[in-house]
Amino acid sequence: MKIDGIHYRSVWVDEDGWSVRIFDQTRLPWSLEILRLTDEEQVAHAIRTMQTRGAPLIGAVAAYGVALALRRDPSTATLERVVAMLGATRPTAINLRWALERMRGALHNLAPSDRVAAAYAEAAAICDDDVETCRAIGAHGLPLLQEIAARKRPGEAVNVLTHCNAGWIATVDYGTALSPVYQAHDLGLPVHVWVDETRPRNQGAALTAWELGRHGVPHTVVADNAGGHLMQHGKVDIVIVGTDRVTRQGDVANKIGTYLKALAARDNGVPFWVALPHSTLDLRVRDGVAEIPIEERAEAEVTELTGRTADGRLETVRVVAEGSPAANPAFDVTPARLVTGLITERGRCEASEAGLLSLYGEEAGRE
Ligand code: MRU
């Protein structure tokens, strides 16, 4: 994707040939700051603090974290240590474990002297794979938007509602849920996106709105609680969200609040689609509600808000009564029965074991 005419990916190797560059997503949309990561501890910090985030992207950045660790010590002990350490940074997105297992699989049997070059090559392949995968997700999601447009008056916008950020900044490029939206917009299809603000961290208000605005896609930010009302009044044609893990039976873990949108969509007959790359599938897990670990994050993400003051300063303020505790589950699980279908790089399918196996067989989620 382009920012002010310059093409970027969300992670890349610096021109020094070894250090790793990412955008500091905690500074967006207020400033575009690029971080330089030089060791695996910095990579772990960036993932934990969500300087880098989004299920596919944390996998790709962690892969480079393995390369950075091996650069200093290519031993098997270091390989095992860094895979375990980075794998523990965030629990819900399976892409993290997928990327680290792929790295371990590619490197474990090599001589230590061959590991550094191979690690950079494998991390680059993971990134290239993600870019092509996300582009293909867009191509398979596009007909859904075209079908809705065909039922409308000429020029009338297709209204998409999305939650959190599953755009290019959550992946290496293109995004998952937003990939069909970008492709539709680029083809001249009128599309408008309702952007859930996505409390507590505001990935919608801060990141999705920023991305869509930079690309010129019409959009409107709404409070998280507005979705049901918009659907009741016919203002949402389709919901498309990303995901952090999809189970064998098609249950979908995604940013907290996604489940409520799926309930509202079902009640109002609005199609609810989930976009995912193969790296988000976890066929080892069946019942998402019972089996997917849900990340609990810091209370401060709920009790405080950060924003820009009129004179341009960034300020964090408390928005909860002093002394009241807060809980912060970061994800929820939408049962497969509420999901209209899945949009993958291999096509669309039902959110079910039969649907997933029809596209992937048993190979999904394995490297
Ligand atoms: O906590 P985050 O911001 O990393 O959560 C991200 C989401 O929930 C996204 O919707 C999901 O990862 C899909 S990203 C393509």
Side-chain angles (χ1 to χ4, degrees), residues 290-302:
E291 296 178 72
I292 295 178
I294 299 296
E295 180 177 11
E296 290 282 341
R297 292 189 61 87
E299 272 186 61
E301 292 182 352
V302 177

Side-chain angles (χ1 to χ4, degrees), residues 8-329:
Y8 287 94
R9 286 183 172 188
S10 304
V11 57
W12 67 98
V13 175
D14 185 77
E15 55 193 26
D16 65 16
W18 66 272
S19 63
V20 176
R21 296 285 190 170
I22 57 169
F23 295 106
D24 184 346
Q25 298 198 29
T26 65
R27 308 296 288 180
L28 287 170
W30 305 290
S31 60
L32 189 64
E33 294 179 23
I34 293 172
L35 296 175
R36 179 168 179 257
L37 307 175
T38 59
D39 65 36
E40 68 275 24
E41 293 300 337
Q42 290 177 358
V43 168
H45 175 80
I47 295 173
R48 268 191 222 105
T49 60
M50 295 175 62
Q51 287 173 324
T52 192
R53 49 148 295 283
L57 184 58
I58 59 176
V61 175
Y64 277 116
V66 173
L68 290 172
L70 294 177
R71 198 172 166 269
R72 286 194 299 176
D73 172 17
S75 69
T76 301
T78 291
L79 175 61
E80 294 301 326
R81 181 187 60 76
V82 71
V83 164
M85 189 273 285
L86 291 172
T89 49
R90 295 195 73 191
T92 304
I94 194 66
N95 312 62
L96 182 61
R97 202 168 80 197
W98 170 85
L100 289 166
E101 281 177 7
R102 177 166 160 174
M103 292 297 285
R104 195 213 318 249
L107 302 171
H108 192 269
N109 291 334
L110 297 183
S113 57
D114 293 334
R115 279 187 182 144
V116 177
Y120 276 98
E122 194 65 18
I126 286 172
C127 290
D128 291 346
D129 172 331
D130 188 61
V131 173
E132 178 47 29
T133 294
C134 289
R135 194 202 55 73
I137 288 169
H140 290 298
L142 176 64
L144 296 172
L145 303 180
Q146 289 171 319
E147 283 160 23
I148 295 167
R151 298 197 297 268
K152 292 193 169 237
R153 290 190 301 275
E156 197 187 344
V158 175
N159 284 297
V160 180
L161 184 141
T162 195
H163 192 69
C164 195
N165 172 263
W168 72 267
I169 197 85
T171 65
V172 180
D173 206 348
Y174 293 110
T176 56
L178 293 189
S179 186
V181 170
Y182 287 128
Q183 292 200 19
H185 175 81
D186 291 350
L187 285 172
L189 198 85
V191 58
H192 165 265
V193 183
W194 295 109
V195 178
D196 283 353
E197 61 174 348
T198 319
R199 276 283 282 148
R201 289 188 64 100
N202 284 339
Q203 289 97 326
L207 303 175
T208 301
W210 174 77
E211 269 194 31
L212 292 171
R214 288 295 168 117
H215 200 80
V217 180
H219 62 282
T220 307
V221 178
V222 287
D224 287 325
N225 299 326
H229 167 79
L230 294 172
M231 291 182 210
Q232 280 178 326
H233 289 270
K235 293 183 176 174
V236 180
D237 296 306
I238 184 171
V239 179
I240 311 180
V241 297
T243 168
D244 294 75
R245 197 185 296 214
V246 173
T247 71
R248 192 177 192 94
Q249 66 186 24
D251 295 341
V252 170
N254 194 45
K255 183 54 54 192
I256 192 77
T258 303
Y259 172 45
L260 289 174
K261 293 301 138 68
L263 286 170
R266 174 56 54 91
D267 194 45
N268 289 284
V270 173
F272 182 94
W273 285 85
V274 177
L276 68 140
H278 59 90
S279 54
T280 303
L281 281 172
D282 188 356
L283 295 184
R284 288 168 282 203
V285 166
R286 193 170 281 279
D287 179 346
V289 175
E291 296 178 72
I292 295 178
I294 299 296
E295 180 177 11
E296 290 282 341
R297 292 189 61 87
E299 272 186 61
E301 292 182 352
V302 177
T303 58
E304 296 174 355
L305 276 175
T306 299
R308 191 164 63 182
T309 61
D311 59 0
R313 284 172 298 113
L314 278 194
E315 225 169 73
T316 300
V317 295
R318 186 171 171 101
V319 291
V320 171
E322 286 298 343
S324 291
N328 189 8

